[in-house]
Amino acid sequence: MKGILRSLALFAFLLSACWALGAPRERGAPPPALTLDIPVLVAGYGAEFFEETAREFEKLRPGVRVHIHGDPRINDKVRTRVMAGDFPDATDAVLLYPRLIQAGRILDLAPALEDLNWEGDTRWRDTFRPGVLARWSDAEGRVHGVPFAHAIWTIFYDKALFRRHGWEVPRTWDEFFRLCEQIEAAGIAPLSLPGVTMRYGDAILRAAHYNLVGPEGYAAYHALAAGTRDDERFARAAAVLQRVSTRHLVRGWEGMTHTAAQLAFLEGRSAMTLSASWFANEMRGRLPPDFELGAMNFPVFADGITPADTVQAQSGYYFLFQTGDPERERATLDFFRFLTSRERVLRFAAVADAPTALLAAGPEHYSPRMADTAAILGAARHAFDAAPAPASAAQATLAQALTDARYLLMTGRITPEEFGRRLERAAAVERERALRPDHVEPRHLPKALLLGAVLLGLVAWLAWLSRWHGRLARGIGAAWAFRPWSRSGRATPPVAAGSAGAGVTAAPPRSRRPASAPEHLGDLGARKGWGFVGPAFALYAAFVLLPGLTAFAWAFTRWDGFGEMSWAGAFNFRWLLLESDVFWSALQNNLFLMVVPPLVVVPVALGLAAYVHRGGLGAGALRVVLLFPNLLGGIAAALIWLAAYEPTSGLANASLVALGDLLGRLGGPAVVVNWLQGFAGHAWLSQANLYWSLVPIYLWMACGFNLVLYLAAMQAVPADLYEAAELDGASKPRQFFLITLPLIREVLVISAVFLLIGGLNAFELVWLLTSQDPSAGVHTLGTFMVGTLFTEFQVGRAAAIAVLLFGMVLIGSLAVLRATRKEAVEL
């Protein structure tokens, strides 16, 4: 025990020493009295302006340091912190703020807004645009959000192209569709829109819906009021989105990222594109100098009830947390006063070329490219929120239903009326769950029984084999020890001294290992052995075992990560197995990844390993080239293939079309030529093609590693076996199948198990290639778990998915290993 404690103490000392030596310090500079922690979302505008603001504020307030940090995925990071009770001083990450406000975690800004602004010449409240503070105000006059960036959704168009063809900016949807037909007649796609991020299409749905139902109907829709989704007006709005997506989008749009869709517009392949007012800043450096960027508001219906100048706004709100430290809260408020000062607002307009929620910046402060956007914003008499934050976990859960139904609507697989009915059913389920939280509709009972029977059958089979194998080994060992056919000259087992019999064989010398030492520690001894193992095991237990046990416990709770945790029993498991359609669709996709990629990767890697082993031409270079993708990692590989699969300018389509053109010039078969040329604009990353598109990625990523694995096993095969086979006249293929394969069988099994586990644990490729918004049809269990946790805020349900995934991986791996293991009895 003393050895373990000494090892842990030494390990802790080394960690603290490394931290102390590595921490940067400035000589003679005392540490700041107060450090504010403000994580920010930097997706549309970058982090440069906010970091500059922090440094300027520190010059004015020497006793305060502002730690601003962020990235496009800051939402997930902040959610994890807040769920763990680690609250920042302020953030604009997407959280369940109504729950946090209810719990008293968010600071009430109303008293501060009545004070003077940063310049001290007016009320802070009066510096904001009318209505922007109302989004996070309540009936009692409390205000909980500070707006800053103020984007509006518009349709951007090429002014020069419109002027050259005499096209007019449409006012109504009928005029818009006539314009689309005119653009198509000129041989240009009317509109570009990202299919990998289909939620961009929601801007069209929101604009059309709001125009028909007005602010009251829009509010009722987001409050999950009955009948708001299967309403005829909602179906009309959905019909507009479907007509745009099925008739008037650029070719290959389903496989485009939002950047690819915007580049299609800038390169002249489409006349318009859909985005928010961060477009100019986001595409800075890619906008041609002479490009005349225009912006139009969304058209309206002839019988719409809202004014045509109504804008679809999306403000970025910052929320200040109550920390219990008045000095820290005052410093945070002071920083946001500075952020919203006139000088900072004008600086943001110059740097980001985008509007803000404050009155300081007018149309004259933006570049000519933003003139139309500024004019639309200045003329707007009404605005509605494009992205209202979820007020409950039920509203967040509906996001998955919208993602699924949106894909079917925009690809023409369902009618607008069916789209509304699907969303209404999803809303009804959430309303029913609010009344009966433990109710489960058993829609998938046969599948659940089948899965349970398979898993229990595998467990029983493993237990039976283990017991049977143990009995068989003991029986054979006993028969060998007491074999009556032993003759003189054969080795006989040792016989204990003093036993009856003609020959007495001395027992082998016993190990000097202490009696208390476990056998696996050999002669090292328990104390020294645990001294070596103890620190590593302590870290493993702290960072793997304990969190795993905690997640297992959470699987039996109902918790959104922000409110109170309550006991749910087996509800989460029952809901997943019996009611959830997404769970079974995700499991089916995992089964695809467990079966299809290994069937391609293993034979290809095995054949290449045999070629390298035989010393084929370029074998050394081939080994290096195929192993290179393993150095990149999954995220880098996904980004590379995201670019390669781009429909219009990606390497995959360009190569296939070029090959088709070459075969056509050489007089190749017309069927093959037409098939290859048909890949022009092919949407590899559309949800219908996604999983077959993953097979080349798996081959590219896994082939090199498995090649090295198989090659190492082949090099361990004795060369005299091949020499003997050659003397017997065996051909190379016959040697491969009769000598090589049987002797590397165990390595093949291990490789297959790795691929199977990888298929069941698949996450990052699907998550990245769908822009973190997969529909139910392309979810894996891993993406379903992450989406449930960070999008739907269902912590207990996500933990239940993790438990089921762990159980299936464990049982499946043991079953594969046991089924492919050679039976051997040590005699």
Side-chain angles (χ1 to χ4, degrees):
M1 188 64 185
K2 291 181 180 179
I4 299 175
L5 294 177
R6 283 197 299 268
S7 299
L8 289 174
L10 178 60
F11 185 75
F13 171 75
L14 290 174
L15 281 180
S16 60
C18 291
W19 176 84
L21 291 174
R25 295 182 181 179
E26 298 181 8
R27 295 185 178 181
L34 188 64
T35 300
L36 302 181
D37 179 25
I38 305 178
V40 298
L41 181 65
V42 297
Y45 307 105
E48 184 178 335
F49 166 79
F50 299 98
E51 292 173 353
E52 176 190 298
T53 301
R55 304 292 82 80
E56 293 296 325
F57 180 76
E58 290 170 355
K59 294 177 183 177
L60 299 173
R61 299 289 187 271
V64 179
R65 180 177 181 272
V66 182
H67 177 47
I68 281 192
H69 56 100
D71 56 56
R73 303 305 305 164
I74 199 66
N75 287 336
D76 298 340
K77 298 177 181 179
V78 175
R79 288 168 190 167
T80 304
R81 287 184 54 183
V82 172
M83 288 177 182
D86 179 17
F87 299 100
D89 292 293
T91 186
D92 63 342
V94 179
L95 305 171
L96 282 179
Y97 287 109
R99 297 297 301 270
L100 293 170
I101 293 170
Q102 184 181 4
R105 293 289 186 181
I106 304 299
L107 197 65
D108 177 19
L109 304 175
L113 289 168
E114 297 301 321
D115 289 340
L116 294 177
N117 61 345
W118 179 260
E119 291 81 5
D121 55 8
T122 186
R123 285 194 313 170
W124 190 18
R125 179 188 294 273
D126 297 334
T127 63
F128 293 92
R129 292 182 183 274
V132 294
L133 291 174
R135 173 66 186 86
W136 286 102
S137 301
D138 58 24
E140 299 178 4
R142 291 175 298 206
V143 182
H144 295 99
V146 179
F148 185 69
H150 187 71
I152 60 171
W153 285 84
T154 58
I155 300 174
F156 290 95
Y157 66 98
D158 186 341
K159 277 188 172 182
L161 185 66
F162 269 55
R163 186 170 55 250
R164 188 162 58 249
H165 290 85
W167 299 329
E168 298 291 336
V169 172
R171 181 184 177 277
T172 66
W173 285 112
D174 290 337
E175 294 175 359
F176 177 80
F177 290 125
R178 284 196 294 270
L179 172 64
C180 289
E181 293 171 359
Q182 295 172 5
I183 296 173
E184 288 171 339
I188 307 172
L191 189 70
S192 65
L193 190 146
V196 174
T197 317
M198 281 191 178
R199 57 181 174 268
Y200 269 61
D202 290 350
I204 297 175
L205 180 66
R206 288 190 298 260
H209 185 219
Y210 187 87
N211 180 238
L212 290 172
V213 301
E216 293 79 11
Y218 191 71
Y221 171 85
H222 285 285
L224 307 187
T228 55
R229 287 164 173 77
D230 56 3
D231 181 70
E232 182 269 340
R233 294 169 296 179
F234 186 73
R236 285 183 64 189
V240 170
L241 174 59
Q242 186 174 67
R243 182 171 177 179
V244 170
S245 61
T246 56
R247 300 187 190 181
H248 303 303
L249 292 183
V250 67
R251 184 178 182 182
W253 71 273
E254 287 187 57
M256 286 185 175
T257 63
H258 81 282
T259 302
Q262 292 168 356
L263 286 176
F265 165 63
L266 297 180
E267 293 168 359
R269 287 182 276 121
S270 70
M272 300 177 287
T273 193
L274 180 64
S275 187
S277 51
W278 56 68
F279 173 80
N281 179 71
E282 197 172 43
M283 301 306 291
R284 180 173 295 180
R286 298 182 179 182
L287 272 166
D290 57 345
F291 192 90
E292 295 184 53
L293 183 65
M296 68 177 79
N297 203 357
F298 288 95
V300 296
F301 290 99
D303 57 345
I305 64 174
T306 59
D309 59 7
T310 301
V311 294
Q312 186 176 164
Q314 184 173 333
S315 294
Y317 289 86
Y318 291 88
F319 298 85
L320 283 62
F321 285 82
Q322 288 198 12
T323 61
D325 184 348
E327 181 184 0
R328 176 177 291 275
E329 292 174 0
R330 283 194 299 269
T332 307
L333 279 168
D334 207 24
F335 172 74
F336 280 93
R337 277 199 182 91
F338 178 68
L339 176 66
T340 56
S341 65
R342 293 189 188 96
E343 186 272 332
R344 287 288 90 195
V345 170
L346 296 179
R347 177 62 177 164
F348 181 80
V351 171
D353 202 13
T356 66
L358 293 110
L359 297 170
E364 68 276 8
H365 295 106
Y366 303 108
S367 71
R369 288 173 174 167
M370 291 297 293
D372 285 1
T373 301
I376 292 172
L377 185 60
R381 292 172 294 169
H382 301 84
F384 68 96
D385 198 341
S392 65
Q395 288 181 336
T397 303
L398 281 178
Q400 181 64 59
L402 176 60
T403 297
D404 302 338
R406 182 201 301 124
Y407 166 71
L408 299 174
L409 174 75
M410 294 180 67
T411 54
R413 288 174 168 83
I414 59 175
T415 64
E417 291 75 17
E418 176 61 23
F419 173 73
R421 286 193 293 269
R422 285 173 179 252
L423 293 182
E424 185 62 32
R425 285 196 297 269
V429 168
E430 295 305 323
R431 292 193 297 267
E432 178 69 17
R433 181 163 290 119
L435 300 174
R436 302 167 59 192
D438 295 325
H439 174 70
V440 173
E441 183 180 348
R443 292 201 297 262
H444 301 286
L445 181 60
K447 295 179 182 177
L449 292 176
L450 178 61
L451 177 62
V454 170
L455 294 178
L456 290 176
L458 289 175
V459 171
W461 176 68
L462 289 170
W464 179 81
L465 278 182
S466 177
R467 186 176 181 184
W468 176 84
H469 182 264
R471 288 183 176 179
L472 178 64
R474 288 193 297 271
I476 295 178
W480 181 267
F482 297 100
R483 59 193 187 283
W485 56 84
S486 177
R487 297 181 179 178
S488 176
R490 286 190 181 181
T492 57
V495 181
S499 334
V504 178
T505 306
R510 296 182 61 85
S511 169
R512 284 184 265 176
R513 180 175 67 250
S516 60
E519 184 177 352
H520 61 274
L521 294 178
D523 293 331
L524 189 62
R527 183 174 299 176
K528 293 180 180 179
W530 284 114
F532 280 105
V533 175
F537 179 78
L539 289 175
Y540 181 79
F543 293 104
V544 178
L545 295 182
L546 291 180
L549 293 175
T550 302
F552 186 85
W554 282 355
F556 297 92
T557 65
R558 185 180 285 107
W559 185 39
D560 59 16
F562 307 102
E564 294 294 328
M565 183 183 296
S566 61
W567 177 256
F571 168 76
N572 292 319
F573 295 97
R574 290 190 294 110
W575 186 88
L576 289 169
L577 295 172
L578 299 178
E579 183 174 335
S580 175
D581 299 326
V582 183
F583 175 82
W584 292 104
S585 175
L587 182 59
Q588 180 180 346
N589 291 331
N590 279 109
L591 291 176
F592 177 91
L593 295 178
M594 291 170 63
V595 174
V596 176
L599 289 178
V600 176
V601 171
V602 172
V604 172
L606 189 60
L608 292 174
Y611 176 80
V612 173
H613 181 57
R614 291 293 183 180
L617 181 64
L622 183 65
R623 183 177 358 187
V624 174
V625 169
L626 292 177
L627 192 60
F628 173 74
N630 292 272
L631 305 178
L632 297 177
I635 295 177
L639 295 177
I640 290 174
W641 282 91
L642 196 65
Y645 277 153
E646 205 280 313
T648 55
S649 59
L651 180 63
N653 286 346
S655 301
L656 292 171
V657 172
L659 180 60
D661 294 340
L662 177 62
L663 289 178
R665 288 193 295 268
L666 296 177
V671 175
V672 177
V673 171
N674 293 334
W675 177 70
L676 290 172
Q677 291 177 341
F679 281 98
H682 180 70
W684 291 90
L685 298 181
S686 68
Q687 299 185 21
N689 302 327
L690 178 65
Y691 275 86
W692 286 107
S693 301
L694 292 179
V695 176
I697 303 179
Y698 269 88
L699 180 63
W700 182 73
M701 293 179 60
C703 186
F705 172 77
N706 287 281
L707 180 149
V708 173
L709 199 65
Y710 301 156
L711 182 61
M714 291 177 182
Q715 290 173 344
V717 176
D720 54 357
L721 296 179
Y722 294 110
E723 295 173 0
E726 288 180 0
L727 292 176
D728 290 339
S731 62
K732 297 293 184 183
R734 190 172 180 83
Q735 294 177 32
F736 177 78
F737 286 104
L738 295 182
I739 298 176
T740 307
L741 277 184
L743 293 179
I744 67 170
R745 181 172 178 269
E746 292 184 358
V747 175
L748 290 174
V749 170
I750 294 173
S751 165
V753 169
F754 284 161
L755 291 170
L756 291 176
I757 294 176
L760 197 54
N761 286 334
F763 166 72
E764 57 191 13
L765 278 178
V766 176
W767 189 250
L768 292 173
L769 294 178
T770 57
S771 290
Q772 302 90 45
D773 189 27
S775 69
V778 298
H779 261 305
T780 64
L781 289 177
T783 61
F784 182 37
M785 177 182 66
V786 173
T788 301
L789 178 61
F790 292 118
T791 302
E792 301 180 9
F793 304 102
Q794 299 283 354
V795 180
R797 188 177 298 172
I801 298 172
V803 171
L804 291 173
L805 184 59
F806 170 76
M808 287 186 283
V809 169
L810 178 63
I811 295 173
S813 302
L814 291 176
V816 171
L817 288 172
R818 188 63 185 84
T820 55
R821 189 177 70 183
K822 283 186 176 181
E823 295 293 342
V825 179
E826 185 177 353
L827 302 176

